[in-house]
Amino acid sequence: MALTRTRHKMPDYIREALTERKLMDAYQERPDYQQNDYISWITRAKRDETNLKRLKQMLDELEGGKLYMNMRWTSRR
């Protein structure tokens, strides 16, 4: 299902982190709304420390495959 709200552009540093940890496929397998929410949530952080903490959380959740924003999540594929 396509998003009806604004699609946030992925910043280079997030793309690089996903690529470095080999998680781009895991990211792209998530629904559009989750991809968009992660980008929005990370980039809205006002402090660098918060930004990095959120980025790490997203990467860890993608790696584990069972969480989305600290909530249980199961792929429907």
Side-chain angles (χ1 to χ4, degrees):
M1 178 176 200
L3 284 178
T4 56
R5 55 189 161 152
T6 302
R7 179 82 157 171
H8 298 285
K9 184 179 182 317
M10 182 187 293
D12 290 339
Y13 73 95
I14 294 177
R15 185 178 316 283
E16 290 166 8
L18 287 166
T19 301
E20 184 177 305
R21 291 215 10 210
K22 297 177 177 34
L23 292 170
M24 187 60 80
D25 288 343
Y27 174 81
Q28 291 174 339
E29 289 172 2
R30 293 293 178 110
D32 289 345
Y33 77 90
Q34 286 188 16
Q35 294 177 29
N36 202 48
D37 286 351
Y38 273 133
I39 300 302
S40 175
W41 178 61
I42 293 166
T43 58
R44 280 193 330 261
K46 292 182 172 76
R47 298 175 53 210
D48 290 342
E49 296 84 11
T50 305
N51 183 288
L52 292 175
K53 178 182 171 187
R54 291 177 180 182
L55 175 60
K56 182 183 181 321
Q57 180 180 326
M58 178 192 74
L59 296 171
D60 291 346
E61 288 180 359
L62 291 172
E63 193 169 61
K66 297 188 186 307
L67 292 176
Y68 162 67
M69 301 283 197
N70 273 333
M71 297 178 285
R72 289 180 56 106
W73 177 79
T74 305
S75 174
R76 296 187 184 205
R77 291 182 180 191

